[in-house]
């Protein structure tokens, strides 16, 4: 049965999956959501023994109904191949009595690879299916990981260009090098003088600029997004939660139909929303625990029902979570409002105008699947050190936020369910802070000088992505102020005409 997508801000029209992926963002500024969450065709027992690619086909077929099986198979085959350094694609590692779902074995060693390895293939097929002859211009803001994964995915893909904005000084040295050394005739990277929220708001404003849209169409170009506002980013993320449960079942780590709690380090809310979609598809998931760092806007929201970004923006050791406007939360707000686009649009307008909104008591009751928690810098560093000393396992700073929040929850919880923690990045991406957490003597050592010591300490080989970044030539040096972003985009597109 065909599944359609609609905007979170109006009830006027629906589109097919391929159209939603091409557009990225609805013309009214809303995000595309499926008219209903499809159920899995197979039971979890039937998925036992399946490869990652087989589970991906099951999930993508349910959501992307205007793609043929052959088209999806082709996308999956090209995405989940030798680019991943582990045959399981997303391996599970048991540490103590919790399970880490390692999502960083792709080409750029961050969880964004899980979706951005397949998005370019989904998008090029979508363009063909919809007879789009325009060049697709991918416009994306990044807090560190999406940018590199998108650049790697779209580099030299015919019929596409990509422009990535990132906050100068707001990402790790490795993250910045990964982006600024990116090759590809169609790639562009620009640092902004501001934080991630500034970059994200600037990109959204460019999407909504109707005059620019007309100019681009006249020149045979159109925008799309690689951020998780694009439903083509979100749907592939559902796959690894379905896969993880099936693997736990296969290995006897979880009983049939037993509820699994999941803790996700959260910034833009896409990764944990994917877990919610997996639950709605039929995966036996209990609590979804949203882990924040000191920028705890989501923790406060789940606690009070008020979303308020009017606060200091804190630069932390987990920069990919340094976010005060969690774009994907809009999809959840729309859902708990009973899919009332008018209510959601009003709340999003309040966020834009006043920097805050408050949900109703009834809406708050619909948040029962979620819990919020946060870990400060001290708790984050302590979790890295303690886990290494007790088990030898080394995690990055974002995963450590989730592990800390998970530990606090489990100490207080009345139930004793198995716990899955989404491990979102290789510790090599944040090696300076990871090493300083393990031993303070590394605190004043340059991050670039800690690669080899970390290899010796962790017994984990240096990923190819890190070696490439260290050896690569810096190709992108442009920096701009936030109000200049739209002009920078125009200049880039003019230059390449």
């Amino acid at each position: 049965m065909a599944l359609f997508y609609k905007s979170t801000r109006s009830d006027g029209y629906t589109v097919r999956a391929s159209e939603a992926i091409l557009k990225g963002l609805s013309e009214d500024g809303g995000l595309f959501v499926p008219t209903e969450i499809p159920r899995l065709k197979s039971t979890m027992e039937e998925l036992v023994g399946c490869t990652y690619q087989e589970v991906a086909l099951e999930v993508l077929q349910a959501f992307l109904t205007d793609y043929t099986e052959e088209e999806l198979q082709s996308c999956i085959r090209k995405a989940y191949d030798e680019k991943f350094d582990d045959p399981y694609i997303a391996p599970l590692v048991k540490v103590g009595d919790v399970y880490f779902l390692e999502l960083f074995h792709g080409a750029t060693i961050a969880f964004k690879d899980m979706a951005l390895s397949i998005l370019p293939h989904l998008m090029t097929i979508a363009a063909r299916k919809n007879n789009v002859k325009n060049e697709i211009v991918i416009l994306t803001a990044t807090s560190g990981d999406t940018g590199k994964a998108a650049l790697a995915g779209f580099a030299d893909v015919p019929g596409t260009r990509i422009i990535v904005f990132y906050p100068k000084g707001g990402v790790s040295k490795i993250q910045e090098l990964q982006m600024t050394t990116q090759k590809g005739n169609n790639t562009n990277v620009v640092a902004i003088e501001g934080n991630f929220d500034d970059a994200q708001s600037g990109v959204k404003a460019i999407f909504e600029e109707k005059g620019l849209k007309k100019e681009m169409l006249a020149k045979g170009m159109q925008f799309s997004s690689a951020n998780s506002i694009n439903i083509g980013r979100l749907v592939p993320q559902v796959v690894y939660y379905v896969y993880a449960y099936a693997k736990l079942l296969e290995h006897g780590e979880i009983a049939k139909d037993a509820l699994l709690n999941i803790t996700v380090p959260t910034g833009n809310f896409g990764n944990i929303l994917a877990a919610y979609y997996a639950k709605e598809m039929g995966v036996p998931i209990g609590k979804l625990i949203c882990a924040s760092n000191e920028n705890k806007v989501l923790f406060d929201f789940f606690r009070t029902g008020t979303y308020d970004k009017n606060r200091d923006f804190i630069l932390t050791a987990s920069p990919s979570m340094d976010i005060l406007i969690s774009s994907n939360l809009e999809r959840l707000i729309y859902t708990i409002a009973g899919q009332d686009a008018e209510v959601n649009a009003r709340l999003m307008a309040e966020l834009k105008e006043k920097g805050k909104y408050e949900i109703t008591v009834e809406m708050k009751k619909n948040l029962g699947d979620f819990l919020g928690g946060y870990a400060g810098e001290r708790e984050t560093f302590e979790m890295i050190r303690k886990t290494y000393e007790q088990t030898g396992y080394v995690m990055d700073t974002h995963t450590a936020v989730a592990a800390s929040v998970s530990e606090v929850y489990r100490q207080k919880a009345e139930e004793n369910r198995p716990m899955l923690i989404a491990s979102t990045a290789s510790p090599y991406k944040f090696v300076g802070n990871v090493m300083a957490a393990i031993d303070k003597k590394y605190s004043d050592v340059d991050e670039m000088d800690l690669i080899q010591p970390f290899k010796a300490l962790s017994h984990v080989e240096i990923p190819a992505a890190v070696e490439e970044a260290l050896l690569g030539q810096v190709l992108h040096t442009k920096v701009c102020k936030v109000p200049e972003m739209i002009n920078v985009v125009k200049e880039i597109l003019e230059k390449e005409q």
Side-chain angles (χ1 to χ4, degrees), residues 307-320:
Y307 192 98
D308 187 354
K309 75 176 187 70
N310 299 314
R311 62 185 71 200
D312 291 336
F313 186 97
I314 303 169
L315 292 175
T316 74
S318 46
S320 297

Side-chain angles (χ1 to χ4, degrees), residues 77-215:
R77 188 168 57 253
K78 292 172 182 175
Y80 306 116
D81 57 9
E82 66 278 355
K83 290 191 294 294
F84 288 81
D85 64 18
D86 191 290
Y88 287 101
I89 308 298
L92 282 160
V93 178
K94 189 173 185 180
V95 181
D97 57 355
V98 299
Y99 307 91
F100 287 86
L101 177 62
E102 293 189 342
L103 301 171
F104 53 78
H105 289 274
T108 75
I109 57 175
F111 83 98
K112 307 298 174 74
D113 288 324
M114 305 302 296
L116 282 166
S117 293
I118 196 168
L119 180 61
H121 305 296
L122 293 173
M123 197 168 282
T124 51
I125 288 176
R128 187 170 69 240
K129 293 173 83 69
N130 289 277
N131 298 311
V132 171
K133 304 291 190 246
N134 291 334
E135 197 166 30
I136 307 297
V137 179
I138 306 299
L139 187 62
T140 290
T142 184
S143 54
D145 288 335
T146 287
K148 173 58 182 180
L151 288 162
F154 282 95
D156 291 325
V157 171
T160 70
R161 306 185 197 185
I162 179 165
I163 305 170
V164 170
F165 290 96
Y166 75 94
K168 186 69 177 175
V171 301
S172 75
K173 287 185 180 179
I174 291 290
Q175 285 178 309
E176 184 168 44
L177 273 176
Q178 281 188 295
M179 289 187 282
T180 57
T181 59
Q182 176 65 54
K183 296 177 182 178
N185 292 327
N186 63 339
T187 62
N188 298 273
V189 181
V190 183
I192 66 150
E193 296 176 1
N195 58 43
F196 170 73
D197 287 337
D198 296 324
Q200 183 169 248
S201 296
V203 164
K204 282 188 175 180
I206 294 169
F207 267 102
E208 294 169 8
E209 179 56 54
K210 293 181 179 176
L212 178 58
K213 193 177 294 185
K214 285 182 180 178
E215 287 179 36

